[in-house]
């Protein structure tokens, strides 16, 4: 984390619930790759500002971003979270319950591409998407998000800089290429208006034009 990011984080009160989530993730031997604290706060604000009530998250891990998303929901709003690993979804659910948000979330276990195809088949639509699973899948996840979006929906994607690999021409692996393609679509697709924040590991924010 940069000293500027550390300074900004130091201004905020400690978030005991989110600290417990990070400890829980570690104690279950899961990777410490939850969204950055500052972007977690931004997720809550974006959901609230958008008045979003049907959220779709791709990549749950231990529920850190799920809590941030669900905190911004109105009464009656809900979150569907797609997670490959049942054990991770179980930890995430436990943390959501501990945060008092257990009734807001449903997990769909398995490869997100299959879950997304199923949601499309069912005619489901959403007004907020958070993309944060395997990076190779980002272009497909974005494509599905646009298809499942209500007019004006927000699409947020994390880790679009891949700790510098995205801008390193020497890196040509499948994840890097996929994220570059995702970023190009975010910036150039005429169905979207967008911005990309380069802080932490980079965050893309797009609005599907109504
Ligand atoms: C970066 S972590 C998510 C972090 C979480 N969004 C947060 O900030 O708290 C990525 C998650 O995506 C899941 N994942 C990886 N590939 C996936 C796939 N094909 N379908 C669904 N989930 C996947 C991983 O198991 C992991 O839990």
């Amino acid at each position: 984390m940069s000293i500027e990011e550390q300074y900004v984080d130091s201004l905020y009160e400690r978030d005991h619930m989110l600290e417990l989530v990070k400890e829980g993730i570690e104690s279950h031997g899961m990777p410490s790759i939850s969204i950055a604290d500052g972007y977690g706060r931004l997720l809550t604000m974006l959901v609230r500002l958008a008045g979003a009530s049907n959220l779709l998250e791709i990549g749950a891990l231990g529920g850190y971003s799920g809590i941030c998303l669900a905190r911004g929901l109105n009464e009656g709003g809900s979150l569907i979270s797609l997670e490959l690993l049942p054990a991770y979804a179980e930890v995430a659910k436990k943390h959501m319950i501990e945060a008092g948000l257990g009734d807001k979330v449903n997990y769909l276990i398995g490869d997100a591409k299959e879950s997304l195809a199923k949601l499309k088949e069912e005619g489901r639509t959403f007004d907020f998407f958070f993309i944060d699973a395997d990076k190779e899948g980002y272009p497909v996840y974005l494509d599905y998000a646009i298809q499942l979006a209500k007019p004006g929906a927000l699409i947020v994607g994390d880790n679009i800089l891949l700790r510098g690999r995205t801008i390193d021409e020497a890196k040509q692996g499948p994840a890097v290429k996929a994220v570059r393609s995702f970023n190009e679509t975010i910036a150039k697709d005429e169905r979207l208006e967008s911005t990309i924040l380069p802080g932490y590991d980079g965050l893309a924010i797009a609005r599907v034009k109504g």
Side-chain angles (χ1 to χ4, degrees):
M1 209 191 295
S2 71
I3 50 170
E4 291 86 355
E5 289 158 2
Q6 283 175 38
Y7 163 70
V8 171
D9 280 349
S10 76
L11 297 173
Y12 289 85
E13 291 284 320
R14 290 172 58 187
D15 188 319
H16 294 289
M17 185 61 231
L18 292 177
E19 285 181 357
L20 280 178
V21 171
K22 285 185 179 171
E23 285 166 23
I25 286 171
E26 266 191 58
S27 73
H28 284 87
M30 295 159 65
S32 296
I33 50 172
S34 305
I35 191 169
D37 296 344
Y39 284 163
R41 287 188 288 271
L42 180 59
L43 287 182
T44 306
M45 279 185 68
L46 287 174
V47 171
R48 192 166 285 137
L49 285 169
S53 53
N54 297 103
L55 317 184
L56 182 67
E57 172 182 63
I58 307 175
L61 190 71
Y64 185 105
S65 57
I67 290 172
C68 296
L69 290 164
R71 279 176 174 172
L73 279 171
N74 297 324
E75 199 54 40
S78 64
L79 165 68
I80 291 183
S81 182
L82 312 184
E83 173 54 49
L84 182 65
L85 301 173
Y88 285 14
E90 217 169 282
V91 173
K93 176 82 188 189
K94 175 177 169 287
H95 288 148
M96 293 289 293
I97 292 169
E98 286 168 3
L101 297 164
D103 59 331
K104 302 260 182 215
V105 65
N106 274 304
Y107 291 92
L108 300 185
I109 314 296
D111 187 344
K113 292 184 191 79
E114 287 169 24
S115 301
L116 286 161
K118 214 163 149 227
L119 289 167
K120 192 180 164 206
E121 230 175 75
E122 291 167 3
R124 299 290 296 270
T125 57
F126 299 87
D127 45 24
F128 197 106
F129 300 82
F130 179 50
I131 300 173
D132 192 20
D134 58 302
K135 307 310 161 194
E136 285 179 44
Y138 269 37
V140 177
Y141 299 149
L142 179 55
D143 192 44
Y144 268 114
I146 295 170
Q147 292 179 56
L148 300 180
K150 292 183 181 160
L154 291 186
I155 302 173
V156 179
D158 195 22
N159 306 116
I160 58 84
L161 295 178
L162 295 173
R163 305 197 183 284
R165 284 186 293 141
T166 305
I167 55 170
D168 180 348
E169 270 306 304
K171 305 285 182 199
Q172 293 295 337
V176 175
K177 284 185 173 169
V179 167
R180 285 185 190 134
S181 157
F182 173 91
N183 292 342
E184 294 276 328
T185 307
I186 288 283
K188 297 197 171 88
D189 194 297
E190 298 207 329
R191 294 168 294 178
L192 305 174
E193 52 188 324
S194 71
T195 190
I196 295 180
L197 307 180
Y200 300 99
D201 198 24
L203 195 80
I205 306 173
R207 179 183 173 276
V208 181
K209 291 178 186 167

